[in-house]
């Protein structure tokens, strides 16, 4: 597995770092089962469609859905989020493709559904935030 990120368009190194940090902060919040920290990676008006197709509109809705989910069916779920592609849409708007790998609480890969996620991350007054996102559960990649 490679950690290389495909960059399409002029995405300065500092923007690459900032956008990747949003994804890593989202990963940390997910793995800590912290719905508030997770929702803070989104804009106030964000639109997020989760892996089961539920659309959540706004940071508040994302936190309200994530809290019970993280205490319920996601309580033993952990993942690694790897940015695989950055696409410059506009000077301060970046399309981001992320590969999600299920892990145990120590970060070791485990069996289970993987994720293929697309985010649009844009610079806001309070930093880089996710404006819109779509998560899709996918079968584990073939080994070999």
């Amino acid at each position: 597995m490679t950690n290389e990120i495909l960059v399409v368009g002029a995405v300065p190194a500092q923007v690459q770092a900032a956008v990747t940090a949003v994804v890593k902060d989202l990963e940390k919040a997910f793995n800590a089962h912290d719905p508030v920290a997770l929702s803070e990676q989104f804009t106030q008006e964000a639109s997020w469609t989760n892996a089961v197709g539920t659309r959540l509109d706004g940071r508040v809705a994302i936190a309200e859905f994530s809290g019970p989910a993280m205490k319920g069916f996601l309580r033993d779920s952990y993942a690694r989020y790897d940015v695989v592609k950055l696409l410059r849409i506009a000077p301060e708007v970046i399309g981001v493709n992320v590969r999600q790998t299920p892990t145990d609480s120590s970060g070791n890969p485990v069996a289970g559904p993987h994720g293929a996620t697309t985010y649009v991350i844009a610079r806001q007054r309070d930093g880089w935030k996710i404006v819109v996102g779509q998560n899709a559960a996918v079968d584990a990649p073939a080994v070999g």
Side-chain angles (χ1 to χ4, degrees), residues 1 7 13 27 48 51 60 74 88 98-99 102 113 115 133:
M1 184 177 299
V7 179
E27 174 188 305
W48 168 245
V60 171
L74 292 174
R88 181 180 184 270
V98 175
R99 178 180 46 244

Side-chain angles (χ1 to χ4, degrees), residues 25-143:
D25 287 345
L26 192 69
E27 174 188 305
K28 288 177 196 167
F30 178 82
N31 289 333
H33 300 103
D34 184 340
V36 173
L38 185 130
S39 70
E40 288 173 348
Q41 304 313 308
F42 293 83
T43 63
Q44 289 293 339
E45 302 80 21
S47 181
W48 168 245
T49 302
N50 65 25
V52 296
T54 303
R55 192 185 78 230
L56 304 166
D57 291 318
R59 187 183 285 174
V60 171
I62 293 166
E64 287 175 349
F65 175 88
S66 299
M70 290 178 165
K71 290 179 182 170
F73 71 95
L74 292 174
R75 72 181 170 277
D76 295 320
S77 295
Y78 302 91
R80 183 180 69 237
Y81 296 1
D82 295 308
V83 173
V84 295
K85 181 179 178 181
L86 300 174
L87 169 67
R88 181 180 184 270
I89 298 170
E92 296 187 332
V93 182
I94 308 297
V96 183
N97 293 115
V98 175
R99 178 180 46 244
Q100 297 173 337
T101 303
T103 69
D104 62 20
S105 61
S106 297
N108 300 308
V110 297
H114 287 59
T117 306
T118 301
Y119 300 115
V120 174
I121 299 178
R123 187 189 308 262
Q124 307 291 301
R125 286 187 205 113
D126 57 344
W128 290 86
K129 301 289 179 186
I130 300 166
V131 178
V132 65
Q134 169 81 42
N135 191 12
V138 298
D139 291 332
V143 177

